[in-house]
Amino acid sequence: MMSDNLRMAREFEETHIRDISEEERPVFHLTGGVGWINDPNGFSFFQNEYHMFYQYYPYDTIWGAMHWGHAKSKDLLTWERLPLTLAPDEEYDALGCFSGSAWEMDDGRHLLMYTGVSSLEQDQSWKNVRQTQCLAVGDGVNYEKYSSNPVIRPEDLPFEIRMSDFRDPKIWREKDGTWNVVLSVMTPEQNCRIILLKSRDAVQWNYCATLIESTHALGGMWECPDFFLLDGKQVLLVSPIAMEPEDHEFHAGHNTMALIGSYNPDTYEYIPSEKRQIDNGIDFYAPQTILTPDGRRIMIGWMQAWPNSKFAPPGVKYFGQLSLPRELYIRDGKLVQEPVKELLSHRKNPVILKDVHIREDQNSDCEKGLYDIHSRQTAFPGIEGRVIDMTVTVKDLSRLKKLDIRVAADTEHHTDVSYVPKRELMRIDRSHSGYLFDIVHSRDMHICPENGVLTIRFIMDRHSLEIFINGGERTGTVVLFTPQKAKGIFFAAEGETVLDIEKYDLVF
Ligand code: FRU
C-alpha cells in the first residue's frame, strides 16, 4: 500500500518535472526530477543495471524532509529516471529518510538500508532527534519499508551514543554471504566513531568493532563512511563536518577525506597511514562507491556541499547534481581518480594541437591561434564548448611564471584554472562565472609536476567543471551557473611555455 506522502511526492514530481526542459539540465550528470538533491544513496548494481538513489526534497530548491529519488543506468552516464522511492511516512522516519545504501539479495530483490530520523518530542521539532537504521525492499521500481523497522537502534550498541548522530549506513556482502555495515556515530563526548556491524540475514545485526575513533582533531561527525579494499590498501572515505584547514586542504568546513591504510578483518584493526582531501574544488561532498562487475571501484559524489547549499541562484528550477562517476585506483600509496572509461566512446570531433607555444609578449603560436592583444589571451579554432573533454599537457615549465586557462568564457564571464610553477600552486576560480552570490569561489591546491610535465583534463557538462590533474592525482570540482553561450576557451602565459591540447565534444 502506497502511503499518502509517497503518492503526493510522486504526483508532485510528475507534474512539475515538465517545467524543466532537458536543455536546462546537464547532459550526462544526474539531477533530481525537481527541487533539491544532496547525497548519492544506494549506488548499486541490481539486475544488470546500475541504480542510483539520492537525498531528495522535491517540493523546493532547499533542503527539507528527506525523500529518496531514483534513477538507473546501463553505462553510468545516461540515466533513466524512476519513480520516487521513499517518503518520510512512518513514525521512525517522520523527519526524513536520510542517506544509506543498497545491495541485491539472494532472492533477486533489492535491499535498501537508510537512516530514519524521528523526533523524541511531541512537536516533531529538530531539537531532540533520534536516528535509527531502517530497511526497505523492492523490485527496482517500487519499495516497501520493512514491517519491523528500525533494525539498528542506538540502544543496540554496547556503548552510549548521541541519538541525533547515528547515520549513513553503507552495506555490503562478503563472499561467504555475511552482511556488513559501516556507520558513523558520535559519542556523548562528541568523538566520532566509524563502527562495523555484521549480520546473517540483514535484519539482526551485531556490533563488531569501532574501526576508528576521531577525537576532534579531524572535525566532528564523519558523515557518509565507505570502507573498501582497493589495490591492496584499505580505504575509508568520510565527509567530516567542521574540520580545521591544513595548508591548502580542508578549507570547506564540510570536507571530504580519504584515509588509506591496512586492515586485518580477523581483528578488525584498521591502521590508516595516509590522509587526503578527496576533491580539492568547491562542490564535492558525501561520495559513495560501488564495485562494478568488471572489478572497478567507482565513486560518485554530491556535486555541491553544505556551505554553498543555501545559494541556489534565483530562478533555478532544480538545485543539486551528482558528480561524474570516477574510477578509483591507488598509485604510489595515494588515491587516484579517473573519469569512467565509458566516457571515451562519447568523445567526438577531435581537435588536437601539438607543441603550441604560449608567450607573454606578442603571445602565441600565431599559425595555430588567435591572439588578442588587449586581453593577452589566445584562442584556437575548434577549442571551445561547454560539453567537452579536453586535456592540456604543459610540456615546458622551465620558463613559465604563470599559466591561465580560461573556460566557459565570453566578454562577461569566465572560470579560470591557473598554475604557478614556482609555488607549485593551482587555482580554480569561478568568481566571474555569473554566480550571483559573494560566496567562496576559488580554491588552491598544491600540485607537483610529474617528470617536468603537468596534465590537466577538463570535463565540462553545461553547468559544471571537473578537472583531473596529473592523471587524477588531484581533482577539483565546481558547478557553474554561467549562460551556455559563454563557451570560449582561452590561454595566456606569464613567461612562456609549450602545450599539447586535445579536445573532444562529448556527444550523447
Ligand atoms: C550528508 C548528510 C548525511 C545525511 C544527509 C541528510 O550530506 O548530512 O549525513 O544522512 O546528508 O540529507
Side-chain angles (χ1 to χ4, degrees):
M1 257 278 286
M2 197 188 296
S3 72
D4 288 347
N5 284 2
L6 183 58
R7 179 174 304 105
M8 202 169 72
R10 282 187 173 184
E11 282 172 8
F12 185 90
E13 183 183 50
E14 267 167 43
T15 310
H16 292 279
I17 205 165
R18 298 183 210 127
D19 304 341
I20 306 173
S21 68
E22 281 310 312
E23 286 65 43
E24 290 171 85
R25 296 184 187 272
V27 179
F28 55 93
H29 286 72
L30 182 59
T31 51
V34 291
W36 157 282
I37 73 168
N38 54 289
D39 313 355
N41 290 163
F43 189 16
S44 52
F45 194 70
F46 174 68
Q47 294 183 355
N48 294 317
E49 289 175 302
Y50 296 102
H51 282 252
M52 180 56 93
F53 303 80
Y54 43 83
Q55 289 284 281
Y56 191 24
Y57 186 63
Y59 300 112
D60 204 340
T61 50
I62 52 172
W63 189 86
M66 279 290 112
H67 297 57
W68 276 35
H70 188 192
K72 68 176 182 178
S73 172
K74 288 193 169 37
D75 62 0
L76 294 158
L77 297 169
T78 41
W79 293 95
E80 179 190 334
R81 234 172 258 293
L82 291 168
L84 195 144
T85 308
L86 301 176
D89 49 19
E90 297 286 344
E91 176 274 324
Y92 55 81
D93 62 17
L95 291 182
C97 302
F98 273 22
S99 283
S101 48
W103 202 268
E104 182 165 340
M105 307 200 312
D106 284 342
D107 63 7
R109 291 179 304 158
H110 204 191
L111 181 76
L112 314 181
M113 186 186 272
Y114 68 97
T115 300
V117 186
S118 58
S119 176
L120 292 172
E121 289 176 357
Q122 292 302 325
D123 66 353
Q124 296 273 298
S125 81
W126 277 98
K127 276 180 257 147
N128 210 352
V129 303
R130 171 177 157 90
Q131 303 192 331
T132 57
Q133 316 317 319
C134 306
L135 300 178
V137 176
D139 61 2
V141 181
N142 292 300
Y143 291 77
E144 221 166 275
K145 292 179 184 170
Y146 179 56
S147 54
S148 303
N149 273 340
V151 292
I152 316 177
R153 302 161 307 159
E155 47 282 22
D156 297 331
L157 301 180
F159 51 89
E160 203 188 328
I161 62 166
R162 279 156 53 111
M163 298 265 185
S164 55
D165 290 304
F166 178 38
R167 61 179 175 272
D168 304 341
K170 176 78 198 291
I171 54 170
W172 75 95
R173 223 167 162 199
E174 297 291 359
K175 288 210 177 68
D176 67 2
T178 317
W179 292 89
N180 292 255
V181 65
V182 284
L183 279 161
S184 188
V185 302
M186 290 285 269
T187 64
E189 305 77 46
Q190 307 216 26
N191 293 341
C192 179
R193 291 185 179 181
I194 303 299
I195 59 171
L196 172 73
L197 289 85
K198 284 184 185 276
S199 169
R200 291 238 179 85
D201 55 7
V203 173
Q204 299 276 344
W205 290 89
N206 295 315
Y207 169 85
C208 286
T210 292
L211 297 171
I212 189 164
E213 175 159 355
S214 156
T215 50
H216 308 283
L218 299 173
M221 182 77 170
W222 288 3
E223 299 189 307
C224 301
D226 198 343
F227 191 58
F228 51 88
L229 188 67
L230 181 70
D231 297 334
K233 299 277 183 191
Q234 191 72 25
V235 179
L236 175 65
L237 303 183
V238 287
S239 295
I241 289 178
M243 185 174 171
E244 292 277 331
E246 289 176 18
D247 192 24
H248 296 296
E249 297 209 309
F250 307 118
H251 282 261
H254 285 65
N255 292 287
T256 53
M257 179 169 76
L259 296 176
I260 295 159
S262 62
Y263 178 55
N264 181 340
D266 299 324
T267 57
Y268 306 123
E269 196 182 11
Y270 178 55
I271 306 173
S273 48
E274 164 83 22
K275 120 172 160 280
R276 238 184 203 243
Q277 186 163 340
I278 301 174
D279 186 280
N280 289 70
I282 301 170
D283 302 308
F284 192 86
Y285 195 70
Q288 196 172 79
T289 72
I290 188 181
L291 187 63
T292 61
D294 64 0
R296 289 175 295 158
R297 178 63 63 172
I298 292 181
M299 174 181 78
I300 295 186
W302 172 31
M303 199 152 61
Q304 196 78 58
W306 291 110
N308 290 342
S309 67
K310 292 206 169 61
F311 300 97
V316 296
K317 296 180 192 154
Y318 67 92
F319 193 54
Q321 46 180 320
L322 300 188
S323 77
L324 185 69
R326 304 167 181 190
E327 293 174 13
L328 300 184
Y329 301 96
I330 301 285
R331 203 197 297 146
D332 300 331
K334 300 203 162 58
L335 189 72
V336 169
Q337 305 170 45
E338 284 176 14
V340 275
K341 67 168 193 242
E342 283 81 351
L343 204 60
L344 297 179
S345 63
H346 295 280
R347 305 210 297 194
K348 301 279 146 64
N349 314 324
V351 181
I352 295 172
L353 303 175
K354 294 270 178 211
D355 295 323
V356 177
H357 289 257
I358 306 276
R359 263 179 242 108
E360 180 171 357
D361 38 27
Q362 42 79 29
N363 225 308
S364 307
D365 225 312
C366 291
E367 270 176 44
K368 300 188 183 109
L370 300 167
Y371 177 64
D372 182 296
I373 194 140
H374 301 295
S375 66
R376 295 170 171 257
Q377 304 270 333
T378 304
F380 298 95
I383 305 281
E384 60 169 28
R386 289 291 292 275
V387 187
I388 61 160
D389 181 348
M390 173 175 80
T391 300
V392 177
T393 308
V394 188
K395 291 160 81 175
D396 180 5
L397 293 156
S398 61
R399 285 160 299 161
L400 179 66
K401 290 194 201 116
K402 184 168 181 247
L403 175 69
D404 279 305
I405 305 172
R406 182 160 276 200
V407 298
D410 62 8
T411 44
E412 295 123 64
H413 307 99
H414 54 95
T415 289
D416 299 338
V417 173
S418 55
Y419 186 64
V420 177
K422 197 171 165 200
R423 299 177 63 208
E424 296 186 329
L425 216 58
M426 184 167 290
R427 172 168 295 175
I428 187 163
D429 185 347
R430 57 142 190 231
S431 306
H432 298 278
S433 66
Y435 210 136
L436 284 182
F437 297 97
D438 191 16
I439 51 178
V440 168
H441 288 306
S442 76
R443 280 267 192 268
D444 289 348
M445 50 194 122
H446 183 239
I447 304 287
C448 295
E450 278 180 348
N451 305 320
V453 172
L454 176 76
T455 63
I456 317 169
R457 185 167 170 192
F458 295 70
I459 307 289
M460 299 185 72
D461 183 8
R462 287 191 182 145
H463 301 293
S464 60
L465 165 65
E466 289 163 277
I467 56 172
F468 295 79
I469 303 144
N470 290 342
E473 170 214 316
R474 287 222 188 254
T475 62
T477 299
V478 288
V479 295
L480 301 177
F481 293 98
T482 315
Q484 296 302 305
K485 66 179 175 39
K487 58 183 179 164
I489 298 178
F490 299 93
F491 298 81
E494 285 169 29
E496 63 182 290
T497 189
V498 180
L499 309 177
D500 286 349
I501 307 169
E502 185 174 333
K503 182 242 145 184
Y504 302 85
D505 294 324
L506 290 168
V507 179
F508 282 79

